[in-house]
Amino acid sequence: MWYLIYARLQMLHYIDRLDNSGENMAFDFSKIHVKSKESLPVDPIELFQKLKVSDSSINDLWLAQGDALREWHKLRNNNDLGVVLNTGAGKTLVGLLIAQSIVNETRGKVLYACSSIQLVEQTAEKAKGYGLSVTTYYHGDLSNDLFTRGLAPCITTYQALFNGHSRFFREEISGIIFDDAHAAEHLLRDHFSLRINRDGFPGIYSSILSLFKPYHQLIGKASSYEELTESGSRRIFLIPPFEIQKQLEELRRILHVARFSEYSDTTFAWEHLRDRIDLCCILISGSEITITPPFVPVLTLPYFCKGIRRIYLSATLAAPDAFARTFGHAPDYIIAPSTTAGECERLVVISSRLKHEKDDVETTKQIIRDHKTLIIVPNYSRSKKWGDIAFIPHKDKVSESVRNFKTDNGKPKLLLAARYDGVDLPGDTCRVMVIDDLPMGVGPLERFMWEQLSLSNTLRTAIASRVIQSFGRISRGMSDHGVVCITGDKLVDWLMTPRNAAVLPAFLQKQLQ
């Protein structure tokens, strides 16, 4: 105790001496300054020049990349801008630089949307090589806190952005980069489509099937409708809106009993549709019932509010009508610098046009027998034709399978179903590819439009986009080259129809002649 008293007296004595000496004891807080953050570049060209690039393939920006970035910088305050660059022209680097530029300007949260987890991983790996820091989000986890702190964009999937329980609905977003915007229509529709699988919900399926049976009896299609109960039926029936309104009360009761919010396969779509069933169309096939809106109501989502900058990246930006069906409106401007990237040497082989060849698939198998080959088919049912020579990965193992395929120096055959974009196999990683059958009918509504309504004009641009994207899987630059085998009567007929060929790029039209 005595020591504390002594220390107190000494302190008082010291203070008294300071006061008598005239020294000022007041603390000047104005002299304390928060260290200012380093000014971050907003001009995307300047941003690139300050990067520490480790990717040996990147020496500088290509002319078309620089043109696209300079034009975007002039128009950066517009809400909706499209950026079109050929496959192999480096649009990923352009998109990532734009994303980081918006982050640096706003210190806000910017999203970069990809069509699959494989592409999220691939884009993040490219960003690392460019010297750009990013956050990734899939399987419910952020890889780091850079996005949260407003320091880097977050690369994620369309699925994570548009499912009914998306965490990003609650975020204050400054900008979104939609990569491969041409592929977004069916991805967005999937999240606004409730699919009632016959095997997963047999009671609900049967109840809805029975609910609309009297209508089909009334219009003279009872027998055709009854065939849906038989296995293997590929018919699709569209229930007209007036019949849905007539049966709406009973339909809602049936759907309520199903408790879709409790199942992982249905909870996300059900969150979007549960109060809007009367605004949807219903398609019934032998395997499932699909409830989906005629047009995807994206404008009801927070991402499309005024003030959020949206950039749509694509090698084949769809026609204005198709783009509007996907995103609710056309972009304010389209930035499309001239480039010859992707216009590489290709030998196109159409087996069915060879003399005395009746089975183009079997002929093509012989052609590719001694070559490493990528095979693209429109659906898993078509993949059965190639099962004897090709490896068919599970849909959850595609990323791993593509990585293994790239490094396999043997003569593997990798088959991918409905993967018309997002697979990059440059140079010697793959020189031979098969595009089998017409890439149509991604979803039930699109299938109905094509098969039942014959709306080929409406879907022409969508088909053309997938064809162009397919050719780009093994052609990643002007110096690249490869062989593309075309199989399937529907695809060959489509390509040989002048009106269809006319919507393809000039260099592809020439190679198909």
Side-chain angles (χ1 to χ4, degrees):
M1 181 65 73
W2 65 267
Y3 177 78
L4 293 175
I5 295 172
Y6 175 76
R8 177 67 173 167
L9 290 171
Q10 286 293 94
M11 184 181 294
L12 291 171
H13 177 65
Y14 178 68
I15 292 172
D16 185 57
R17 284 180 61 188
L18 287 176
D19 286 342
N20 290 335
S21 67
E23 293 186 41
N24 186 4
M25 285 293 294
F27 197 87
D28 188 359
F29 288 96
S30 66
K31 294 181 180 180
I32 298 178
H33 299 284
V34 177
K35 186 177 180 180
S36 60
K37 293 182 179 179
E38 181 184 356
S39 178
L40 298 174
V42 171
D43 185 323
I45 303 293
E46 181 187 353
L47 172 58
F48 173 79
Q49 292 169 344
K50 290 188 175 183
L51 295 177
K52 295 180 180 179
V53 179
S54 60
D55 187 335
S56 59
S57 67
I58 305 295
N59 297 316
D60 204 344
L61 290 173
W62 293 340
L63 179 61
Q65 290 175 316
D67 290 344
L69 289 170
R70 278 185 286 270
E71 189 169 355
W72 172 80
H73 188 48
K74 293 177 183 177
L75 301 169
R76 63 183 301 138
N77 291 324
N78 288 273
N79 283 344
D80 294 275
L81 295 172
V83 178
V84 180
L85 286 167
N86 285 356
T87 299
K91 65 182 175 62
T92 300
L93 176 55
V94 170
L96 288 170
L97 287 171
I98 289 173
Q100 188 61 54
S101 172
I102 298 174
V103 169
N104 290 354
E105 176 194 355
T106 64
R107 301 297 172 93
K109 296 177 179 179
V110 176
L111 297 165
Y112 188 108
C114 297
S115 57
S116 66
I117 292 176
Q118 174 219 332
L119 277 176
V120 171
E121 295 172 339
Q122 180 176 294
T123 304
E125 187 64 27
K126 286 184 177 181
K128 182 180 178 182
Y130 301 152
L132 287 165
S133 297
V134 296
T135 298
T136 60
Y137 178 83
Y138 54 89
H139 294 323
D141 293 318
L142 291 168
S143 60
N144 56 49
D145 65 352
L146 295 178
F147 169 73
T148 304
R149 294 162 56 199
L151 298 177
C154 176
I155 305 175
T156 188
T157 61
Y158 280 94
Q159 290 85 342
L161 288 184
F162 290 99
N163 76 73
H165 296 288
S166 176
R167 62 164 291 161
F168 298 108
F169 289 163
R170 302 185 300 273
E171 300 280 7
E172 188 174 346
I173 303 300
S174 296
I176 304 179
I177 315 298
F178 294 104
D179 199 3
D180 292 326
H182 55 270
E185 183 173 9
H186 78 271
L187 293 171
L188 268 62
R189 178 166 294 284
D190 280 349
H191 291 290
F192 283 85
S193 299
L194 178 66
R195 295 193 171 187
I196 305 169
N197 187 274
R198 181 175 183 172
D199 295 330
F201 298 92
I204 302 300
Y205 176 91
S206 297
S207 295
I208 296 177
L209 190 69
S210 299
L211 184 65
F212 296 110
K213 186 175 180 178
Y215 166 74
H216 290 90
Q217 291 174 333
L218 184 66
I219 63 173
K221 291 189 176 181
S223 296
S224 298
Y225 191 72
E226 190 67 31
E227 289 177 2
L228 291 176
T229 60
E230 301 174 7
S231 60
S233 173
R234 285 185 52 82
R235 289 284 306 266
I236 296 178
F237 286 83
L238 175 71
I239 309 302
F242 59 81
E243 185 64 18
I244 295 175
Q245 293 292 334
K246 180 180 177 181
Q247 304 289 354
L248 187 58
E249 185 176 345
E250 178 62 13
L251 177 62
R252 282 176 170 160
R253 187 196 65 77
I254 294 171
L255 296 176
H256 176 73
V257 171
R259 299 186 178 277
F260 291 122
S261 59
E262 298 178 6
Y263 301 93
S264 59
D265 291 344
T266 55
T267 182
F268 300 115
W270 181 242
E271 185 65 24
H272 284 309
L273 304 182
R274 64 196 312 161
D275 297 319
R276 301 177 178 89
I277 298 298
D278 57 319
L279 300 178
C280 295
C281 59
I282 297 177
L283 298 115
I284 303 180
S285 71
S287 59
E288 67 179 13
I289 295 171
T290 303
I291 302 177
T292 188
F295 296 96
V296 181
V298 292
L299 297 183
T300 64
L301 302 178
Y303 309 136
F304 294 87
C305 293
K306 188 175 182 180
I308 296 179
R309 296 181 215 179
R310 294 168 289 272
I311 294 87
Y312 308 93
L313 298 180
S314 178
T316 54
L317 204 60
D321 61 327
F323 188 93
R325 285 199 304 270
T326 305
F327 294 106
H329 54 78
D332 298 330
Y333 297 94
I334 298 289
I335 299 168
S338 177
T339 175
T340 56
E343 300 181 18
C344 57
E345 293 186 20
R346 294 187 187 89
L347 172 63
V348 179
V349 178
I350 303 178
S351 301
S352 63
R353 297 175 71 84
L354 300 174
K355 288 185 178 180
H356 311 300
E357 295 297 340
K358 296 182 179 180
D359 191 328
D360 58 349
V361 170
E362 292 303 318
T363 301
T364 301
K365 287 179 183 179
Q366 296 301 313
I367 293 173
I368 66 175
R369 180 180 55 192
D370 297 325
H371 301 280
K372 181 178 182 180
T373 308
L374 172 68
I375 303 168
I376 302 178
V377 298
N379 49 56
Y380 280 104
S381 62
R382 183 73 182 186
S383 65
K384 295 175 183 177
K385 286 182 171 287
W386 303 90
D388 58 327
I389 66 164
F391 172 68
I392 307 171
H394 187 273
K395 62 180 180 180
D396 295 331
K397 299 290 184 180
V398 170
S399 298
E400 179 183 343
S401 300
V402 171
R403 286 194 297 268
N404 293 338
F405 180 75
K406 279 186 175 182
T407 56
D408 191 337
N409 295 321
K411 301 173 183 177
K413 312 291 186 288
L414 176 65
L415 184 143
L416 300 178
R419 290 278 182 148
Y420 299 106
D421 46 38
V423 178
D424 296 345
L425 299 170
D428 290 333
T429 57
C430 188
R431 295 290 187 189
V432 181
M433 179 177 65
V434 176
I435 306 174
D436 179 44
D437 212 19
L438 193 66
M440 65 176 186
V442 173
L445 181 59
E446 187 175 304
R447 266 189 58 207
F448 180 81
M449 292 168 64
W450 184 275
E451 296 174 3
Q452 304 295 325
L453 302 182
S454 300
L455 295 179
S456 55
N457 289 338
T458 302
L459 297 176
R460 181 176 288 123
T461 54
I463 300 297
S465 175
R466 291 167 197 158
V467 169
I468 296 166
Q469 289 297 317
S470 299
F471 273 87
R473 295 314 93 214
I474 64 168
S475 305
R476 309 304 301 172
M478 288 182 290
S479 61
D480 213 339
H481 61 273
V483 177
V484 180
C485 299
I486 304 293
T487 57
D489 291 340
K490 290 180 180 178
L491 176 57
V492 173
D493 290 345
W494 192 92
L495 291 172
M496 295 301 107
T497 301
R499 286 183 299 174
N500 297 333
V503 298
L504 297 174
F507 68 91
L508 266 186
Q509 294 181 39
K510 189 178 297 184
Q511 291 174 350
L512 287 167
Q513 289 176 352

